[in-house]
Amino acid sequence: MPKQLARGVPLLSRSARYKKSGKWAVKHRGPVEGQVKKSKAVVTTKTEKKLGKKGTRTVVRPRSPRFYPTEHVPTKLYSRPPRPPKIRPSLVPGVVLIVLAGKLRGKRVVLLKVLPSGLLLITGPYKINGVPLRRVNPRYVIATSTKIDVSAVEVPAQLNDEFFKKPANSAPKKSQEEFFEGDKKDKKKEISPERKELQKTVDNQILPIISNQEYLKEYLNAHFGLNKGEYPHLLKF
């Protein structure tokens, strides 16, 4: 029993008593030979009846903490550090891809490069099948065996992940009447002149390469689909 100034008031604080006891010196010491470490769990015996028979079993109950926080302390959740995206070996610049999802599904496109985010930068070209410069997820494409040489094609440096991000909507909130009126109006999205110029710059370099290969222009313009009895895992693309 520690010395007390008054009943229930110890002479030394808990940290001072811990320092005086010398336990801090052996706290991180390795296990002593022949010493049995005390378990912090409390072992109790419980009697229960199961299928008409009484029996006892040992229940291990952990000790409750000595102190509880007065306020809720949020614990830091584990977050996995960002990892570089893994790209399939078949997804190299110049490969003709088949898009499987989105409004461009079934279109055949040309892969220009892999962006730092792991998304693929593709083009139709727009003059052949109407596919503009855009990003696609590599999970939703099939790489075909058709490939063109795009080593001489210079992709503008501004075609990166930041270029394709949608601008923040700074328009004021609509009233209830304006909200319902806006659905009736068919507003066409305007494409910026900068984007049109970049599309022409890239397509003007790819179109001569496609024209030199026989039937490639018709192949890119053809829409991909499956007929009855055709299975994608049995096809060679």
Side-chain angles (χ1 to χ4, degrees):
M1 188 73 182
K3 292 182 180 180
Q4 296 183 347
L5 291 174
R7 189 173 181 180
V9 182
L11 177 66
L12 300 174
S13 65
R14 188 159 63 97
S15 59
R17 294 197 307 271
Y18 176 73
K19 184 179 180 181
K20 192 175 181 181
S21 66
K23 292 180 181 179
W24 54 271
V26 295
K27 182 177 181 182
H28 299 292
R29 192 175 65 182
V32 181
E33 189 177 350
Q35 185 180 7
V36 180
K37 190 177 180 181
K38 290 183 179 180
S39 176
K40 292 185 178 181
V42 179
V43 180
T44 57
T45 304
K46 189 176 181 181
T47 305
E48 52 182 30
K49 191 175 182 181
K50 191 174 182 181
L51 297 175
K53 297 180 181 179
K54 284 188 177 181
T56 58
R57 68 184 180 97
T58 305
V59 180
V60 179
R61 181 173 55 84
R63 286 184 179 179
S64 56
R66 292 178 61 187
F67 300 99
Y68 292 92
T70 55
E71 296 181 359
H72 174 67
V73 181
T75 56
K76 188 177 180 181
L77 299 176
Y78 171 75
S79 61
R80 190 175 69 178
R83 299 177 182 178
K86 292 182 179 180
I87 304 300
R88 302 198 299 269
S90 58
L91 299 177
V92 293
V95 170
V96 175
L97 308 175
I98 299 174
V99 184
L100 301 177
K103 64 180 182 180
L104 299 177
R105 59 183 176 272
K107 296 278 189 178
R108 291 180 170 90
V109 296
V110 178
L111 173 60
L112 296 176
K113 68 175 183 178
V114 180
L115 297 172
S117 62
L119 299 176
L120 309 177
L121 177 63
I122 61 167
T123 184
Y126 186 80
K127 194 173 182 180
I128 294 177
N129 53 20
V131 178
L133 287 165
R134 59 184 295 133
R135 298 181 298 174
V136 293
N137 194 318
R139 286 177 176 266
Y140 304 115
V141 295
I142 295 176
T144 65
S145 57
T146 308
K147 186 180 177 182
I148 62 174
D149 185 15
V150 292
S151 57
V153 177
E154 294 183 6
V155 181
Q158 55 263 46
L159 287 174
N160 50 24
D161 291 307
E162 294 294 328
F163 178 80
F164 290 99
K165 282 187 178 180
K166 291 183 179 179
N169 188 12
S170 59
K173 290 186 177 181
K174 297 181 181 179
S175 63
Q176 188 174 359
E177 295 176 357
E178 291 175 346
F179 178 77
F180 288 106
E181 286 178 2
D183 294 343
K184 297 176 183 178
K185 295 178 183 178
D186 188 16
K187 292 184 179 180
K188 192 175 181 180
K189 187 179 178 182
E190 294 183 0
I191 301 171
S192 63
E194 180 191 4
R195 195 156 189 163
K196 291 180 181 179
E197 194 62 35
L198 289 171
Q199 184 75 53
K200 288 179 182 178
T201 304
V202 175
D203 286 0
N204 288 341
Q205 300 177 71
I206 296 179
L207 286 171
I209 303 172
I210 295 172
S211 301
N212 292 335
Q213 295 192 27
E214 192 177 8
Y215 304 122
L216 183 56
K217 188 175 181 181
E218 292 78 6
Y219 176 72
L220 290 171
N221 193 27
H223 196 274
F224 172 76
L226 293 174
N227 296 323
K228 188 176 181 181
E230 290 183 345
Y231 304 101
H233 62 282
L234 298 176
L235 299 176
K236 183 182 178 183
F237 296 95

